[in-house]
């Protein structure tokens, strides 16, 4: 399993940026994917999640990014995307993509429960 | 959201000695399916996180058996039986009972004396 993030960089507040995660070594379409970020000198913060196609490819987002960030995948290219709009200085972080494993369902809604493989991360700096 | 609280926040250990990290959750992590959704990760310096333990006590593939997890309900512990130099880094616990969000502890930094 290999996950490689790309697309990070310096961006001004209010602008947009899309980062990518290219996967290899597993059947990408069979897995959910997630994005986790780490601000400088801080801990881990979950950002967003996309279910596999088998579970509807629906998404979930942290409250801090909901309405501004969106996740999508291109199963044919084995790529997951994190589109970040209206960026704020507090979005400055290293962004990691991860493969999500396990399934837990509550009623009709299912979630992966853990992240078993992570990329090396891509750094996003939001500053004027 | 469930809050995960780790103690201590830092730990200095002599090689070959044991180490223990505590993680407490603000709500029980025991699901009605009988599983407890508590995980441990290690982030070595300059690296991305790696999964060590899933569902409280199961070691992930390739994780040395000097790592062990225990606990139930809201109180959990990660133990390293004999610390080695490669165990240096920041350890995080994570919950997956009440989603979203997946939430992590603040991290415990382990260094070698």
């Amino acid at each position: 399993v290999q996950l490689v993030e790309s697309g990070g960089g310096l961006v001004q507040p209010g602008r947009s940026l899309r980062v990518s995660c290219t996967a290899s070594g597993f059947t990408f379409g069979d897995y959910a994917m997630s994005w986790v970020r780490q601000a400088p000198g801080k801990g881990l913060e979950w950002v967003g999640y996309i279910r596999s196609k088998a579970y509807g490819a629906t998404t979930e987002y942290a409250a801090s990014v909901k309405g501004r960030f969106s996740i999508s995948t291109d199963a044919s290219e084995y790529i997951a995307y994190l589109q970040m709009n209206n960026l704020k200085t507090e979005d400055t972080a290293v962004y990691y993509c991860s493969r999500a494993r396990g399934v837990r369902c509550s009623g009709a809604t299912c979630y992966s429960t853990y992240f078993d493989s992570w990329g090396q991360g891509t750094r996003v700096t939001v500053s004027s | 959201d469930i809050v995960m609280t780790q103690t201590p926040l830092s730990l200095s250990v002599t090689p070959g000695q044991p180490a223990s990290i505590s993680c407490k959750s603000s709500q029980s992590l025991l699901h009605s399916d009988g599983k407890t959704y508590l995980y441990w990760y290690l982030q070595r310096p300059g690296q991305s996180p790696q999964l060590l333990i899933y569902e409280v006590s199961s070691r992930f593939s390739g994780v040395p058996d000097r790592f062990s997890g225990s606990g139930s309900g809201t109180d959990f512990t990660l133990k390293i039986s004999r610390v080695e130099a490669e165990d240096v880094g920041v350890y995080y616990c994570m919950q997956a009972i009440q989603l979203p969000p997946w939430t992590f502890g603040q991290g415990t930094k382990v260094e070698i004396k």
Side-chain angles (χ1 to χ4, degrees):
Chain A
V1 175
Q2 189 172 16
L3 300 169
V4 179
E5 299 92 338
S6 59
L10 175 63
V11 60
Q12 293 179 328
R15 305 298 292 264
S16 298
L17 189 69
R18 188 180 76 169
V19 295
S20 304
C21 169
T22 302
S24 60
F26 64 101
T27 304
F28 182 76
D30 289 348
Y31 290 85
M33 299 294 292
S34 195
W35 289 89
V36 175
R37 68 184 180 184
Q38 187 169 37
K42 301 296 184 182
L44 302 173
E45 179 190 16
W46 170 76
V47 171
Y49 165 75
I50 184 165
R51 296 175 179 83
S52 65
K53 186 176 179 181
Y55 287 90
T58 51
T59 53
E60 306 283 352
Y61 299 98
S64 57
V65 307
K66 198 168 187 177
R68 300 188 298 121
F69 288 15
S70 63
I71 297 173
S72 60
T73 57
D74 183 337
S76 65
E77 296 291 331
Y78 277 39
I79 299 177
Y81 298 102
L82 177 64
Q83 175 68 44
M84 301 180 285
N85 299 329
N86 188 22
L87 281 159
K88 304 177 181 181
T89 55
E90 53 263 40
D91 295 320
T92 294
V94 174
Y95 285 76
Y96 297 101
C97 72
S98 57
R99 188 177 74 169
R101 295 282 302 275
V103 177
R104 181 179 65 71
C105 298
S106 293
T109 304
C110 295
Y111 299 91
S112 302
T113 51
Y114 65 100
F115 315 124
D116 71 335
S117 297
W118 300 58
Q120 86 290 347
T122 188
R123 187 174 302 275
V124 174
T125 303
V126 184
S127 174
S128 55
Chain B
D1 297 354
I2 291 182
V3 176
M4 307 296 287
T5 303
Q6 292 181 229
T7 54
L9 297 183
S10 66
L11 198 53
S12 184
V13 187
T14 301
Q17 293 300 301
S20 180
I21 300 170
S22 171
C23 175
K24 295 183 188 297
S25 57
S26 60
Q27 297 178 38
S28 175
L29 303 187
L30 174 62
H31 193 265
S32 56
D33 63 10
K35 295 181 180 180
T36 301
Y37 291 95
L38 185 280
Y39 305 83
W40 289 97
Y41 291 87
L42 164 60
Q43 185 175 32
R44 294 190 173 107
Q47 297 186 18
S48 55
Q50 61 182 94
L51 178 66
L52 294 177
I53 301 285
Y54 62 96
E55 292 170 15
V56 179
S57 58
S58 296
R59 276 187 301 275
F60 188 57
S61 175
V63 174
D65 61 7
R66 63 179 181 274
F67 290 93
S68 64
S70 63
S72 63
T74 61
D75 290 354
F76 305 93
T77 302
L78 176 71
K79 292 183 178 177
I80 311 173
S81 59
R82 296 172 306 279
V83 172
E84 298 187 6
E86 66 177 19
D87 301 335
V88 164
V90 181
Y91 291 79
Y92 295 94
C93 58
M94 183 193 81
Q95 69 81 25
I97 186 73
Q98 189 180 88
L99 302 173
W102 288 255
T103 51
F104 296 87
Q106 328 90 297
T108 295
K109 185 175 184 178
V110 173
E111 61 179 19
I112 297 294
K113 279 184 182 176

